[in-house]
Amino acid sequence: MTAGLWQNWVLPGIWITIQLTVYSAALAAAVAFGVGMARTHRSRLVRFLAGFYTEVFRGMSALILMFWLFFVLPPLLGWQLVPMWAAVLALGLSYGAYGAEIVRGALNAVAPAQREAGVALSFTPWQRMRLILLPQAVPEMIPSFCNLLVELLKGTALVSLLGVGDVSFAAYLVRLATQESAQIYTVTLVIYFVIAFVITRSMKALERRTKANLGVVTK
C-alpha cells in the first residue's frame, strides 16, 4: 500500500470512524440515561413508553434503520439526511436502547435504603436521582457501557454501505486499487483493535475514578 493511498483514503477513514463513534456514542448516552431513568419512573405511563421504545429499537436492525432513515424518510418529510447523520441517528437510537437497560438495571441495583434515606430527607425525585442514585449506579454501569461502546465502534462499519468514507470503506477502495486483500484488511483489523483498546483503557480509568469518589478502591 502506497503512502498516497494511506494519506488520501485510510487516514481520513480513521478520522471519520472516530467521529461516527463519538457522535453516535453521545446520542446513545443521552438516550440511554433518558430512557433508562424513565424505566424507573413512578408513573406507569412513563415506564410503558420508555419500555416500548426500548423493545422497538432493540428489535430493529441498525442497518435497516439506517437505510430507512436515508432512503424512506426523505420522501415522507421532503428533506434529505446526509449519510453521516443518518448513520449517527440509526446507531445512536439503536445502541441507546441497549444502554437504557444498563441504566435501568444499575439504578434498580441501588439499595432500597438509599431511596428511603432520600425520602426521609425530603428530597424531590430528581434530587434523589441526581444526588443519591446516579452517583452510586454510574460506576456499576461503566463496564457494560465499555462493552457497548466497543460494539458501537465495530457497528460503524455498517456506514460503508451508504458510501460514507469510514475506515472500512477506505479499505474496500484500497483493495480495488491494489487488488491486495490481505494487507489492507489486516491493517484495518489492527486499526479497529487499537481504537477499541484506547476505549477500554479510558473506560477502566473512568471506572476507577468514579469508584474512588465513592471511597471504593479497585485493583
Side-chain angles (χ1 to χ4, degrees):
M1 184 168 58
T2 65
L5 293 175
W6 179 265
Q7 183 176 356
N8 295 324
W9 287 349
V10 178
L11 287 180
I14 295 172
W15 175 237
I16 290 176
T17 294
I18 293 173
Q19 285 182 294
L20 281 166
T21 303
V22 171
Y23 296 151
S24 301
L27 176 58
V31 170
F33 277 93
V35 176
M37 289 188 292
R39 293 293 308 270
T40 66
H41 199 274
R42 57 186 174 182
S43 169
R44 181 175 297 180
L45 176 61
V46 173
R47 293 198 306 271
F48 170 79
L49 293 175
F52 180 77
Y53 172 89
T54 302
E55 294 302 325
V56 168
F57 280 89
R58 280 196 309 176
M60 287 184 180
S61 163
L63 176 61
I64 301 305
L65 178 59
M66 201 179 299
F67 285 161
W68 193 89
L69 290 171
F70 187 68
F71 294 112
V72 179
L73 192 61
L76 298 178
L77 299 182
W79 47 267
Q80 179 74 54
L81 280 172
V82 297
M84 179 82 163
W85 295 114
V88 168
L89 276 175
L91 293 172
L93 294 174
S94 297
Y95 284 87
Y98 290 101
E101 284 299 282
I102 296 173
V103 174
R104 181 191 65 82
L107 289 174
N108 286 338
V110 176
Q114 299 292 321
R115 300 174 185 267
E116 295 167 4
V119 174
L121 292 170
S122 299
F123 284 180
T124 64
W126 171 241
Q127 287 176 320
R128 293 197 297 271
M129 180 66 70
R130 181 172 60 89
L131 300 175
I132 298 175
L133 300 180
L134 281 177
Q136 296 181 68
V138 166
E140 303 305 321
M141 300 177 194
I142 292 177
S144 298
F145 271 135
C146 179
N147 290 333
L148 192 61
L149 188 53
V150 172
E151 287 298 319
L152 175 58
L153 165 67
K154 293 185 287 186
T156 60
L158 298 174
V159 306
S160 62
L161 298 176
L162 292 181
V164 179
D166 73 317
V167 69
S168 59
F169 188 72
Y172 172 73
L173 294 179
V174 171
R175 186 186 68 83
L176 291 180
T178 63
Q179 298 301 310
E180 294 180 2
S181 300
Q183 182 183 15
I184 183 56
Y185 284 124
T186 300
V187 170
T188 304
L189 286 174
V190 172
I191 290 169
Y192 277 110
F193 169 77
V194 170
I195 299 174
F197 183 79
V198 171
I199 289 173
T200 55
R201 292 291 97 187
S202 301
M203 294 294 281
K204 284 184 180 295
L206 180 61
E207 181 185 2
R208 287 195 297 269
R209 182 173 180 178
T210 54
K211 287 187 175 181
N213 291 337
L214 294 176
V216 178
V217 179
T218 57
K219 295 183 180 179

